[in-house]
Amino acid sequence: MGSRREWCSGCGLQLLVPTDATAVRCVVCQAITRFPYPPPPAAPFVYGGSSYCSRPPPPLSPLASAFGRKRAVLCGINYYGKPYRLKGSINDVKCMNYFLLNKMGFPPDSVLLLSEEETNPLKTPTKRNIRLALKWLVEGCQAGDSLVFHFSGHGTTEPDYDDDEVDGNDEALCPLDYETEGFIIDDEINGTIVRPLPYGAKLHGIIDACHSGTVLDLPFVCRMNSWLCKVKYREGYYIWEDQTPREIYKGTSGGLAVCFSACDDHQLSEDTTAFTGSKVMTGAMTYNFIQAVQNEPGLTYGRLLNCMRNAIRESKSSGGLRLNGPIASILNKLVFTSNNSSGEPQLSSSEKFDIYSTKFIL
């Protein structure tokens, strides 16, 4: 059965529907649209209101093809005007956008970039827009698809109220308007982009934020060079640590979800100029992720993780990697005087696999 693209009569989102469908329910606003659906009368678009433009707003991105699609959501938030402002997050998503388009073969119309520099109100990284973007990311996903969610900004932790976290805390991302609208917690992220992932599809999360180790709520975390590895195996080996304290399923619907995070759940990440050799700020993990993949085609997940960790360790040991911003003096003291706070990139997954034989492919 074929498919076609139609517009939701409620929110204007582009929907993929079967060719012979006469009605469809929107995955975002739950409105039912019946076909044929005539274009609405001319009227100015009112964001967040009931009015809409003479034709539906431009789609977040048209679907690239029927099979083997690449699609990405990139969110960069500097929190302009706030005392906790960052300086490298928007640079991060610009770099990631260039990397995906020019190095990884993502079609230009399949990458949705949300940042404070966007003039389109639908593309600012508010909580509502990030939620819509994540739902769009997996809409119509099928075998062969490659999805990417990249976030650069602040992360935090919240008390866990449903008893599904081994450390008693949910991890969360901080959207632009989190002070009024709240955080986006890992339970929601998992339910939105991990659980629906079908067999044969792959999702990569690349999260450059504090407290981001398990922010996709994936069940397995790769522990490298841990005490248990040293005892049971030898230096340089790894184990997959199960992060589900009881019988709660956090996996996919058959696909594979993998996440690279800037640091563990209890750690902080860095916003730095150490790697660019200039005044240009970037996230330490985002920069080294891109550099490693570009410099060594065909590398494995284990090799990629080690490349990022080694580069950050070398920069820390040389004194080049420091936190920046209004609260830099406080955070630098925390990060560089406490072993528990100093962040290193982490790897988590919806299933166990051999990180040293499995090639990294976007």
Side-chain angles (χ1 to χ4, degrees), residues 8-58:
C8 172
S9 59
C11 65
L13 185 72
Q14 187 183 52
L15 306 173
L16 183 67
V17 300
T19 303
D20 58 353
T22 59
V24 66
R25 183 186 295 274
C26 178
V27 297
V28 175
C29 70
Q30 300 300 309
I32 296 177
T33 302
R34 303 186 185 281
F35 310 114
Y37 171 58
F45 176 67
V46 179
Y47 183 68
S50 58
S51 299
Y52 41 85
C53 57
S54 58
R55 57 178 179 271

Side-chain angles (χ1 to χ4, degrees), residues 279-291:
K279 294 182 179 180
V280 178
M281 300 287 289
T282 62
M285 193 207 74
T286 297
Y287 179 87
N288 285 293
F289 173 88
I290 294 173
Q291 289 298 306

Side-chain angles (χ1 to χ4, degrees), residues 86-158:
L86 297 172
K87 295 183 179 180
S89 294
I90 292 179
N91 291 335
D92 283 347
V93 295
K94 288 180 179 179
C95 292
M96 187 63 69
N97 185 52
Y98 178 87
F99 171 70
L100 294 179
L101 297 182
N102 294 278
K103 303 298 182 181
M104 293 290 106
F106 279 63
D109 56 5
S110 71
V111 178
L112 172 60
L113 194 156
L114 306 180
S115 86
E116 290 153 282
E117 294 185 350
E118 292 289 339
T119 57
N120 183 344
L122 290 173
K123 292 187 176 182
T124 55
T126 62
K127 183 175 182 177
R128 177 183 185 274
N129 286 346
I130 295 175
R131 280 175 158 176
L132 290 174
L134 292 179
K135 289 180 179 179
W136 165 82
L137 182 64
V138 296
E139 183 192 3
C141 180
Q142 55 191 282
D145 289 358
S146 174
L147 312 179
V148 172
F149 172 46
H150 175 231
F151 179 91
S152 182
H154 280 306
T156 188
T157 59
E158 286 280 281

